[in-house]
Structures are given as structure tokens and as C-alpha cells.
Amino acid sequence: MPSESLRFETLEALKNSPKGKLNYSPDWLEKGEDILAGCVEVSSLSPLSGQILKRLSPRPLLKTRSLSSCVRDTSPEVSEGLSAGASVPISPRQISSPPPVSLHAEDDEQKAGEIQEESVVSPVASPPPAISVLSPRATQMAGCIRMCERKHKAKAKVELSLRLEQQERLVATVSSCESEQLKRYEELMELKQRQEYQSMRDMMEKETQESLGRQEKLREEHRHRMKILNLRLREAEQQRLREAELERQRQVEGRERHRAINAIQEEVLQLNQLLQPRPSTQTDPALDHTPYITRGNQLCSQVSDVVPASADGQFPSVEDLTVAERALQEMRSLVRNLQGEEAQAAERKRKEQDEEEEKKKRHEELKAQQEEQKKTAARSAKEKAKKEGLQTGADESTLKWYSALQDAANQCAQACDELSRAKDTQTKKLKMELQKAATTPVSQIANISGAPLKEAFEKIDKLLSSRPVTSAGKTVSASQHPQGLEFVSYKLAEKFVKQGEEEVASNHSAAFPIAAVASGIWELHPKIGELILAHLHKKCPYAVPHYPPMERGTSVEDYQKILGYRVDDSKVEGQDSFLKRMSGMIRLYAAIIQMRWPYTGKQGPHPHGLNHGWRWLAQILNMEPLADITATILFDFLEVCGNALMKLYRGQFWKLILLIYEEYFPRYFEDIFLINCKFHQLTSGEDICFYQPFGLSI
């Protein structure tokens, strides 16, 4: 139909019109926006505005000019511009638009929707605002639009309130429905739970009945199996008893055979001892024991092989017993044959005894002649040594001093003999406590210095002063026994020398702290110094110096003990061990004569100072040197005490060193190679560096 086609064309035209292009939002009220907010655009004059202004009548133009001149600047340039604008077209660039006002025409034929009046801008720095001129139709349209907006806003508010009420009613209805549905759901869940609980109870009752049935069946099976097992156990017990009886009988028989074989083995071993050569027939070349010994060893091995190990729990068999008996019979025959040969050898031996006695007599005569020759050679050696200026022993004064010290030590030992040999428990306990109190502080002195060294010195001083001392958690004093002080002094001096013999021998630097304590105790208690020298001379006679000669009637072992060797069960210690012990004691003696206790209050001379060291060195050089020992003690003494002697005697000491190198060394150069190399530095001009004692930092 024509009307329908026109309708669509009209709608298409409205769609393409400026109003049709506007965007209308249905949610403008909820968002708080204006309904025409999207339509506010900045208005501008089209390029055809100049032609429109030309066609306008002069009257409105003059009116506009008069209005513009009233408001803005009335300069001649502006009037000329306005007159020119009436005849010449105005370009869009020369027009400054005021704040925009949209003009919407309802007529579809009119295409120019909005017109603005030209505003002339004066060249003044701050121009006044322009006045926009609207037509009455545009003003009417603007008013209509605003009224339409108010109606739409009111209508939207009413509809919004209605919609809110409808939503509230809908929410209330839905809420009530949901609550009802929730109640129905809870009832349904409770019903299901009851049904499940009932089904579980039924199932558990059924399983209980079934388990009771199975248990009853298992009980029946268990009772049946127990009967079978009891029968088997009775049979097994009977079988075990039969086997135990058989095993007991077998062991009894085996032990009997074992005892028999052990007796056979013992007899075979005893007979084998008889096959060994006796001292009386050992030197008889006619009697050869080797075949008998070889066969006897074979028989012993044969018997040992048939004897089983006791740890394995085995017993010899009847065949083993038979083999052992045959070996015993053969061993007896061997012994009988050997005894017959020994009897024949004894006859020959008795015939040769007379000849041996004659040979012994001749041998004794020859030995006496050799001893006489040795004595003659010794006397000639002494005479030769006297001619050359060297002695074979110590001076008489030195020997007297040595004997006096030994007598004092023996008297001290006899004085405390009652305490040393005490048998009652109380006295023995006191003796052990006193001995520990005396020896423990000395044992603790090695490389210590400072407060520990001073503490050890004070303990020893208190003990020797008969004051109470704590040792191993017990308090003890030398005054608790009449012989306590003598016993403590003797044991203390013995311990000092033993430390030199053992500790200093393995650790040379330990000589100085031990010597410092010994020197300080010597100053406060002079008797201790005499006992230390006595023990030192007894264990090391070379500290006197003294080379004890072997007297008549003295055995070799006793003479070796006098020389300082250790003899245990007729076994003499090795030379290296002997030299090491002598070296330790000589080093201790060399340290004592130069060390002083730094905390002593006395300022007197040293109780046994460096003058005794010079005397010892002079006497040792005046004596004939001995192999090994002289070189060792001379080297150790000079290494420890050489620096102190050099500072005290200066030139005399260097003369003594040259004497040792030039005259004393050649006598036993091969035994003193180490010292020779040490002192070779003296003649070669190299630096001489003797052993410096450590500085006590107490």
C-alpha cells in the first residue's frame, strides 16, 4: 500500500535526521544523568551562513548591529567590519561562536537546524562576552523541549516507584516460596537419614548373626586342630626323650674315649720329653737324638689330629682311639730304644770324664795367667794416664762428698723405715696419703708456668712445713706421724730425680720448670737438696762425676746396677734406653744449678749454683773418657748450662771449649761425633747458640 511505503520512507528520513541520530538511554534516571546530556554539542555555523545573512533584511541586521554596538566597543573599525560583512560573505574562521544553544526544528523540510549570529571581536586585550540572538521559533522549541523533559522525568519517577513496589512484592513472594521449599527439603533429608539408619541397623544385625556363625565354626575347627596338635606334641616329646637318651649314651661313650685319648696324648707328650737330649748326653756326638725326636714329633702330631676340638662338641670315634693306642705303643718302643742307647753313651761318658778333668785344670791355669796379664795391663794404663795428666776416678774430696750424701740418704731411709714397712691398715693408709701428697704436685710439673706452677710449689712447701695439705679430696699433714716429715722428704727427693729420669728424658724443655721448683724448695728446706743430690748420684754416678770401678766379689749384674743400668730378671736394659735416662738426669742437674725460684724472699747465693757446674765440667775433663756415656752427658750439660756458664766465666769458658775441641775430642772422636760437629762451629767462625732456658712468666 502507498501509505505503508510512505510510512517506511518517513521513518527512514527521521532516522537520518539530526534528531534521529541522538542516543536515548532508558537508564538515565537511575544513573542520575540528564535525558538530553548526549545531545549537547558545540554549535557551529556552516559555510552557508554567509549567504543566509545576506538574504536577511537590513532591519534586523541594523538591529543586531545596534545591539552589538551597545554592548561591545563602538570603534570605527568595528562598524566598517559590520558594513563589509553585509555585502561580503563571512567565512567560518572569522566567526567566534558563543556558548552553544541547540535549535531543533520539527519541520522535516527545513535542513538548517541552528543559526548563530556573528559576533565581532574587537582588537582590545579583554573583549566583552558575545550575545547570542535566537529566533522566536527556536526559543519556542527550546521551551517545548524543556517541558517535554519535565513530563518525561515525572513519568519516569512514577514508573520507577511502581517498579520498585513490584520488585518488593516479588522478593517477598520468592522469599516465602524459598522458605517453604527449604522446610520441605529438610523434612525430606530427615526422612532419608532415618531410612539409611534403619537400613544400616538391619545390615549390622545381619552381619552380627553371620559373624557369630563363623566364630562358632572356627571354634569347632580350632578344637579339632588342638586335638591333632596335642597328639603330635606327645609323639614329638616321646621322640625327643628317645633321642636325648641316645645322645646321652653317645656323649658318655664319647667322653670316655675322649678321656682315654687325652690320657694317651699326655703320656705320648711325656714320652716325647724323654726323647729330648739330656744335659749329660747333649755333648755326646755318638748319640744322635734327631731320628727319635722327628719320629716322636710325628707321633705327637698324629695323636693331636685325632683329638677333636672341644669347642665343636665332637667326640673321638673308635677308630681314632685305635690310632692313638698304636701311636702310644710306638712311642714306648722309641723311648726304650733311646734309653738303651743313652746307657751305652753314659758308659762312654764316664770313660771320658777323667780326660775332661785334666783339660779343666789346664784351662784354669791358663785363665789365671790371663788375669795376671790383664792386671798388669791395667796398672800400665793407669801409670800412662797419670803421666798424661788424666785420672781414672774422682778426687778424694769428691768421693768423700759423694759418700756423705749417700750416708745422709741412708739415714733418712732408716729413720722412716717404720712408716715404710707398716702393716696396720691405718698406718698404711696414712703412708699412701703422704706419698700422694708429696709426689702428685711434682708429677704435675712439666711445661706449666704461672699460677699452676706457683700452686704446686706452695703445696710442697706446706707439706714440708708440717702444715695440712689437701690431696685427692683428703687433708693430710706430715705431723700426723713422728716419721712423716722424713718419709715425705725422702719420697719428694726421689720423685724429683725420677721426673728427670723419665719426663726430662723424653721432653727436654720440662727440665726448667722442674728445676725452678726444686731450686726454690732447696733454698727453703736445704735437707731436700742433699737428698735430691744423693738420689741423683745413686741413679747417675756420672753427675758426681764418678766412674765406679768393679771391686772383687761383685757380680756383673750388681756392677751394672752401680753404673746406672736397669737389670730386671738378669736382663740388662739397652744402651739407647740407658743413655736416654742418663741424659734426662744430667739435663735436670744442669738446669737446677742455674735456675732460681722467682718468688723467694731470700736474696742470698744459690744453694748449689753455677760454681758447682764449673767444678763438674773441670772434673769430667780431667778424667779418662768412657765410650758413649761421656760424650752424651758432656753434650747435654753444655746444651742446657753452656749459655749461663759463658755469661759468668766469659773468656775462661771459651778456653775450656777450645781445650775440649783440640785435646779432649781426639781421645774418643768416634764416640762423640755429635758434639764434635756441634763445636766445629766454634773454629769455623759461625755463630754459637747454646740452649736458652725458658722464661718463667709467673
Side-chain angles (χ1 to χ4, degrees), residues 467-495:
R467 288 182 289 175
V469 177
T470 303
S471 176
K474 297 181 181 179
T475 303
V476 65
S477 174
S479 60
Q480 294 179 355
H481 194 276
Q483 300 175 1
L485 185 59
E486 298 291 337
F487 178 77
V488 167
S489 301
Y490 189 85
K491 291 297 180 182
L492 184 64
E494 185 181 23
K495 185 62 177 179

Side-chain angles (χ1 to χ4, degrees), residues 370-399:
Q370 290 178 353
E371 289 180 356
E372 187 67 24
Q373 291 177 358
K374 288 181 180 179
K375 290 180 181 179
T376 304
R379 283 195 298 270
S380 63
K382 289 182 180 179
E383 293 175 358
K384 183 179 179 181
K386 288 180 180 179
K387 291 180 181 179
E388 294 178 355
L390 294 180
Q391 304 173 2
T392 57
D395 296 337
E396 280 190 28
S397 59
T398 304
L399 292 177

Side-chain angles (χ1 to χ4, degrees), residues 208 210-221:
T208 303
E210 292 177 356
S211 63
L212 290 174
R214 287 195 298 270
Q215 288 179 3
E216 188 64 26
K217 187 177 179 180
L218 289 174
R219 288 194 189 96
E220 292 295 331
E221 292 179 357

Side-chain angles (χ1 to χ4, degrees), residues 448-465:
I448 62 173
S449 61
L453 190 64
K454 187 177 179 182
E455 183 180 356
F457 178 84
E458 290 176 352
K459 284 185 178 180
I460 298 172
D461 184 31
K462 286 181 180 180
L463 187 64
L464 294 175
S465 302

Side-chain angles (χ1 to χ4, degrees), residues 182-340:
L182 181 61
K183 290 179 181 179
R184 301 291 82 76
Y185 179 75
E186 291 177 353
E187 292 175 357
L188 180 62
M189 293 301 294
E190 290 178 0
L191 178 61
K192 287 183 178 180
Q193 288 179 357
R194 288 195 298 271
Q195 291 175 352
E196 290 178 357
Y197 178 70
Q198 185 65 30
S199 63
M200 288 180 65
R201 285 185 60 184
D202 296 341
M203 184 172 61
M204 290 176 64
E205 290 178 357
K206 184 178 178 181
E207 290 179 354
T208 303
Q209 295 297 330
E210 292 177 356
S211 63
L212 290 174
R214 287 195 298 270
Q215 288 179 3
E216 188 64 26
K217 187 177 179 180
L218 289 174
R219 288 194 189 96
E220 292 295 331
E221 292 179 357
H222 180 68
R223 284 193 289 270
H224 181 67
R225 290 178 181 176
M226 286 296 294
K227 291 179 181 179
I228 296 173
L229 288 175
N230 289 332
L231 292 174
R232 291 180 179 177
L233 285 174
R234 283 195 294 272
E235 293 176 358
E237 183 65 20
Q238 294 174 1
Q239 181 68 22
R240 187 186 65 81
L241 292 175
R242 288 193 297 271
E243 291 179 356
E245 183 64 23
L246 293 175
E247 180 67 20
R248 188 182 64 80
Q249 294 178 1
R250 187 183 66 83
Q251 288 183 358
V252 169
E253 295 174 357
R255 279 193 289 269
E256 290 294 335
R257 289 194 297 272
H258 201 175
R259 281 193 291 270
I261 287 183
N262 288 337
I264 292 172
Q265 186 180 19
E266 183 179 2
E267 186 176 356
V268 167
L269 292 174
Q270 291 176 357
L271 294 174
N272 187 40
Q273 293 293 329
L274 297 177
L275 297 177
Q276 302 296 328
R278 298 177 185 179
S280 59
T281 59
Q282 192 171 6
T283 57
D284 188 3
L287 183 59
D288 188 9
H289 290 258
T290 305
Y292 296 98
I293 293 174
T294 304
R295 184 55 185 165
N297 292 333
Q298 291 176 357
L299 293 174
C300 290
S301 301
Q302 187 176 356
V303 174
S304 299
D305 291 338
V306 300
V307 177
S310 301
D312 296 339
Q314 298 177 0
F315 294 102
S317 60
V318 179
E319 292 78 8
D320 295 336
L321 183 61
T322 305
V323 171
E325 289 176 351
R326 284 200 299 267
L328 178 60
Q329 295 297 330
E330 188 174 354
M331 181 65 76
R332 287 173 179 172
S333 63
L334 283 176
V335 171
R336 285 194 296 269
N337 295 334
L338 180 61
Q339 288 176 352

Side-chain angles (χ1 to χ4, degrees), residues 497-508 540 564-566 573-588 628-629 632-633 636:
V497 176
K498 190 174 182 181
Q499 283 293 98
E501 184 182 9
E502 296 176 355
E503 183 67 28
V504 179
S506 58
N507 183 13
H508 293 169
C540 179
Y565 287 89
R566 284 179 176 174
E573 68 174 333
Q575 188 71 5
D576 293 339
S577 175
F578 168 72
L579 293 177
K580 184 178 180 180
R581 291 192 303 104
M582 298 298 111
S583 171
M585 288 185 281
I586 289 296
R587 284 177 178 273
L588 178 62
D628 293 340
I629 184 61
T632 301
I633 61 177
D636 292 327

